[in-house]
């Protein structure tokens, strides 16, 4: 069982769903795993799958209080039919005659921003955490941006039960 501890107050310890719901620890600290040995994984086992199976494996490590069944549901809800590539983030070989290289394409999401990968997941993790922590109020997300963060956040939080978002853009 992984607990998350505040970087500013080690006596503040919560489960992952509470850390997701809070965003920041009381006093402005960040939540980090209290024991890094608990998040060790053999990446060889994880990287052999497709995007969704890799996401499920990693999420099950970091968000162990959600449980396998809910994690499976949240990964599917987060990434199903939202990306223009079936691979979500395909690894594509470059056409260079000098060396062999690959590029991870992060623009296949609904707003073509790399942030779509995380902002397709976070709203669903928050919505589930809401119920897991008996939090009945709606979640209001406030964010400020001068670029593509706002559109990715709006897209990610649209149609997620119990959540709303306000995005501030600079004047002009």
């Amino acid at each position: 069982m992984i607990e998350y501890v505040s970087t500013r107050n080690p006596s503040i310890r919560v489960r992952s769903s509470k850390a997701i719901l809070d965003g920041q620890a009381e006093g402005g600290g960040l939540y980090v795993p209290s024991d890094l040995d608990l998040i060790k994984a053999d990446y060889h086992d994880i990287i052999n799958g497709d995007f969704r199976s890799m996401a499920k494996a990693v999420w099950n490590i970091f968000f162990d209080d959600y449980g396998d069944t809910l994690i499976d549901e949240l990964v599917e809800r987060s990434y199903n039919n939202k990306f223009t590539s079936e691979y979500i983030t395909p690894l594509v070989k470059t056409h260079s005659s000098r060396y062999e290289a690959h590029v991870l394409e992060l623009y296949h999401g609904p707003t073509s921003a790399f942030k779509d990968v995380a902002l397709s997941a976070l709203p669903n993790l928050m919505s589930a955490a809401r119920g897991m922590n008996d939090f009945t109020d709606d979640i209001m997300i406030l964010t400020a941006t001068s670029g593509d963060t706002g559109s990715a956040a709006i897209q990610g939080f649209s149609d997620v039960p119990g959540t709303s978002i306000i995005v501030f853009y600079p004047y002009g």
Side-chain angles (χ1 to χ4, degrees):
M1 176 173 79
I2 297 176
E3 284 188 313
Y4 288 78
V5 60
S6 169
T7 55
R8 292 197 179 167
N9 183 348
S11 68
I12 298 175
R13 301 172 84 82
V14 298
R15 301 287 285 135
S16 67
S17 63
K18 180 73 168 131
I20 289 288
L21 194 59
D22 288 351
Q24 277 188 316
E26 186 179 321
L30 302 176
Y31 284 118
V32 296
S34 62
D35 183 353
L36 296 181
D37 286 333
L38 295 175
I39 61 170
K40 286 185 178 177
D42 184 353
Y43 75 91
H44 293 97
D45 295 334
I46 295 172
I47 65 171
N48 289 324
D50 63 4
F51 182 92
R52 285 177 183 83
S53 65
M54 288 189 286
K56 290 173 185 178
V58 171
W59 288 20
N60 274 308
I61 294 167
F62 283 91
F63 311 128
D64 63 342
D65 56 329
Y66 283 76
D68 294 347
T69 302
L70 183 55
I71 290 292
D72 288 351
E73 180 185 315
L74 294 175
V75 167
E76 291 305 319
R77 190 181 313 151
S78 297
Y79 299 112
N80 194 30
N81 297 323
K82 290 186 181 176
F83 289 74
T84 58
S85 170
E86 66 179 288
Y87 301 106
I88 312 295
T89 57
L91 187 63
V92 178
K93 185 175 180 178
T94 62
H95 301 287
S96 171
S97 59
R98 294 178 44 205
Y99 51 87
E100 184 174 325
H102 293 78
V103 175
L104 185 63
E105 293 181 347
L106 299 173
Y107 59 83
H108 292 283
T111 69
S112 301
F114 73 90
K115 297 163 181 107
D116 287 328
V117 177
L119 285 167
S120 291
L122 180 62
N124 291 305
L125 288 164
M126 290 182 83
S127 182
R130 201 173 153 251
M132 294 168 65
N133 290 277
D134 298 320
F135 188 84
T136 57
D137 293 338
D138 283 348
I139 296 169
M140 174 60 72
I141 302 298
L142 300 175
T143 187
T145 185
S146 61
D148 57 3
T149 300
S151 59
I154 290 168
Q155 180 68 36
F157 279 93
S158 68
D159 301 323
V160 176
T163 67
S164 300
I165 185 165
I166 296 175
V167 178
F168 297 96
Y169 290 91
Y171 179 75

